[in-house]
Amino acid sequence: MPTLQLDPFHKRPDGVSFQSAPHPSPVLPIFVKSTYRMTLADRLGPDAYLLLRFAVWGVAMGIIAAVIAVIQAKGEGASGSVVLVRAVLAALTVCVLVTAGTAGCVYVAAAAVALWVAPRGSGRPVEPDFSLQDAMLMRGDVAGALHAYELLIATTPADPRVRIRAAEVYAGPGARPRRARELFEEARGLPGVPAGIDIHATNRLVDLYLGPLDDGRAARAELRGLAHRHRNTPIGAQAEEALRRLGPA
């Protein structure tokens, strides 16, 4: 059965038109295992470099503290084991205090400056960053991109855009249309979802049902729901026309 095409629906939520990826093989993998290991820089971003510098400073000061502790212990006539213990304790203590203290002071100062000079931007949603996932897809690491999307979904459960982007990959190169269906449905069902997300997700669900999932009854149900939710609008009218073209179940 051919895939249904509704022009106003085949747009991403940001308004950029696209073409649906060809339907994948019906053989679906059960597990997706990522080949990419998240590094400290991935998790912390630019802060990773600062923390590394703080740690280097802490180690340097710890070495100096250890030398001072050795000199003092020998001046007191302490035994070799006592000298070693005091040197290690001094090095560890100073290293931890310098690293944590420097990092804490820098972050507190940065937060204070930001509160004073930077606009808060309250009420404006933060745009998600998909650069990591896009880079993985460009080099052919589909499993790594999907794993990164799942991590992003777990950390931003209320953002439908993340689910939409992940669902597109599952529906295309990820070759898991059932997972794509789940994500499109979840994105559409989030509280306060914009109409554009609802229209896009429903259209893609119709594509999946008429394509790899091969469920014409579900496709018709999606179109009826879309026509009802957007009745008396061009979108609703086109959904009704699509139902007529599909014919009875």
Side-chain angles (χ1 to χ4, degrees), residues 1 16 27 32 49 69 92 99 110 126 136 139 147 152 156 158 160 186 190 201 208 218 234 237 244:
M1 184 178 293
V16 179
V27 179
V32 175
Y49 174 70
L92 291 176
T99 302
V126 178
M136 290 178 176
R139 65 170 182 260
H147 178 68
L152 195 56
T156 56
E186 290 175 6
L190 290 173
L208 290 173
R244 286 191 290 270

Side-chain angles (χ1 to χ4, degrees), residues 100-189:
T102 306
C105 291
V106 169
Y107 284 118
V108 169
V113 172
L115 288 175
W116 182 259
V117 302
R120 297 296 298 272
S122 58
R124 301 184 62 182
V126 178
E127 291 294 327
D129 182 15
F130 304 113
S131 57
L132 173 63
Q133 294 83 349
D134 290 342
M136 290 178 176
L137 290 172
M138 289 183 66
R139 65 170 182 260
D141 186 8
V142 178
L146 290 174
H147 178 68
Y149 270 124
E150 292 291 354
L151 292 177
L152 195 56
I153 289 171
T155 56
T156 56
D159 193 337
R161 296 167 295 180
V162 179
R163 284 174 166 79
I164 292 291
R165 287 288 295 260
E168 294 292 352
V169 180
Y170 276 116
R176 294 182 61 188
R178 296 186 185 280
R179 178 56 178 156
R181 179 193 63 190
E182 293 174 358
L183 291 174
F184 282 129
E185 290 176 345
E186 290 175 6
R188 184 180 60 182

Side-chain angles (χ1 to χ4, degrees), residues 183-228:
L183 291 174
F184 282 129
E185 290 176 345
E186 290 175 6
R188 184 180 60 182
L190 290 173
V193 66
I197 296 288
D198 173 44
I199 295 169
H200 174 77
T202 302
N203 175 68
R204 296 297 287 124
L205 284 168
V206 171
D207 283 346
L208 290 173
Y209 285 130
L210 295 179
L213 297 180
D214 192 20
D215 190 343
R217 185 184 299 273
R220 291 175 175 83
E222 291 293 342
L223 287 171
R224 284 194 293 270
L226 185 65
H228 176 72

Side-chain angles (χ1 to χ4, degrees), residues 36-130:
Y36 180 80
R37 291 176 178 260
M38 300 289 285
T39 65
L40 182 64
D42 293 326
R43 295 185 175 91
L44 299 179
D47 291 346
Y49 174 70
L50 288 176
L51 291 176
L52 180 61
R53 291 189 62 181
F54 299 154
V56 171
W57 295 342
V59 170
M61 297 303 296
I63 293 174
I64 295 174
V67 172
I68 295 174
V70 169
I71 294 174
Q72 290 179 343
K74 287 187 175 181
E76 297 171 359
S79 62
S81 59
V82 174
V83 172
L84 178 61
V85 170
R86 291 177 63 174
V88 171
L89 289 177
L92 291 176
T93 302
V94 173
C95 179
V96 172
L97 289 177
V98 170
T99 302
T102 306
C105 291
V106 169
Y107 284 118
V108 169
V113 172
L115 288 175
W116 182 259
V117 302
R120 297 296 298 272
S122 58
R124 301 184 62 182
V126 178
E127 291 294 327
D129 182 15
F130 304 113

